[in-house]
Amino acid sequence: DTEVTQTPKHLVMGMTNKKSLKCEQHMGHRAMYWYKQKAKKPPELMFVYSYEKLSINESVPSRFSPECPNSSLLNLHLHALQPEDSALYLCASSAGLAGNEQFFGPGTRLTVL
Amino acid sequence: GENVEQHPSTLSVQEGDSAVIKCTYSDSASNYFPWYKQELGKGPQLIIDIRSNVGEKKDQRIAVTLNKTAKHFSLHITETQPEDSAVYFCAAYKGTYKYIFGTGTRLKVLA
C-alpha cells in the first residue's frame, strides 16, 4: 500500500474557526511532511516530523499547529486563519532521512472566508 | 540558497511527439532527483526518480537523465498521449528532509 490519505478533501472556514486537517499513511514511513501549495506554484514546505518529533518548522505562523500522535498519523490544527491562507494543503511521507521516494496525499483544498 | 530552475514553464506538443523538461540545481551535494506529475485538483504523483550514481533511468515511455558535472537533469516523455497533460515538477534532495522543487512545467498534449 503506497497511499497517503487526507481528510477532509475540502474545507471552508471562517477566520474565527478552529479546524484540523488529518493525514494517514501505513507504509511504515518515519518522516511525514506538511506542504502548502498555491495555484500554479510548487509545494512549499511547512513542517517535517521525523520519528514523531518535529524536525523542521519553516517559520510557519503559529496559527498553524502540527501534531504527530503516532508514526502513522499527522494532523494540522488551524486557528484564526487569514484569507491568504487559502490553498491546497498536502501531506507527504518518506521512509527517512536518506534520499527516498516521497509520496503525497491528494490534499485538502482550504478556503478561508 | 539552494534552488532548482525548471524550463520551460509551458510546453505544448502534438500527440505522439516527445516532450523534454529540463532542470538545473545549484547544490552539488544533492543526490536524489524525483519527478512528479500533478493533475488538476490532485496531489503530486512520483513518476520517476534518479540517484546521483546513475546517469539515466527509463520506465516505459518516461526517462530521466542526470549530468552531475553540469548539475542538469531532464525528463523525457516519448509517444505523448492526452493523459500526459498535467503539471510536472522536478526536485532535488540532499538528505535534510528538504526537497527543493522546480517551478513546474505545464504540459499540454494536443490530440
Side-chain angles (χ1 to χ4, degrees), chain B residues 61-62 65 92 98:
Chain B
R61 297 187 296 110
I62 295 173
T65 58
K98 294 188 180 184

Side-chain angles (χ1 to χ4, degrees), chain A residues 51-94:
Chain A
Y51 293 84
E52 300 156 52
K53 288 185 168 43
L54 184 64
S55 293
I56 295 176
N57 176 344
E58 291 286 85
S59 302
V60 179
S62 60
R63 57 186 184 267
F64 295 91
S65 176
E67 178 195 20
C68 189
N70 60 54
S71 60
S72 299
L73 293 174
L74 187 66
N75 299 322
L76 186 63
H77 303 295
L78 314 173
H79 174 54
L81 294 192
Q82 304 297 309
E84 58 265 29
D85 296 323
S86 298
L88 181 68
Y89 287 84
L90 295 162
C91 175
S93 71
S94 69

Side-chain angles (χ1 to χ4, degrees), chain B residues 35-110:
Chain B
W35 284 90
Y36 295 91
K37 174 184 181 182
Q38 188 172 23
E39 297 175 289
L40 196 62
K42 297 185 178 181
Q45 176 193 2
L46 178 69
I47 56 171
I48 197 167
D49 56 14
I50 193 167
R51 301 185 189 277
S52 58
N53 58 348
V54 176
E56 183 173 0
K57 183 177 178 180
K58 194 172 183 180
D59 182 4
Q60 298 183 6
R61 297 187 296 110
I62 295 173
V64 58
T65 58
L66 171 65
N67 181 330
K68 282 197 305 182
T69 303
K71 297 182 194 170
H72 289 167
F73 58 113
S74 300
L75 177 71
H76 304 253
I77 306 174
T78 58
E79 301 172 21
T80 53
Q81 301 167 4
E83 51 266 38
D84 294 328
S85 296
V87 178
Y88 291 81
F89 291 101
C90 63
Y93 179 81
K94 67 173 184 181
T96 58
Y97 292 121
K98 294 188 180 184
Y99 294 74
I100 309 301
F101 286 87
T103 49
T105 296
R106 182 171 299 277
L107 174 64
K108 294 181 184 178
V109 179
L110 308 171

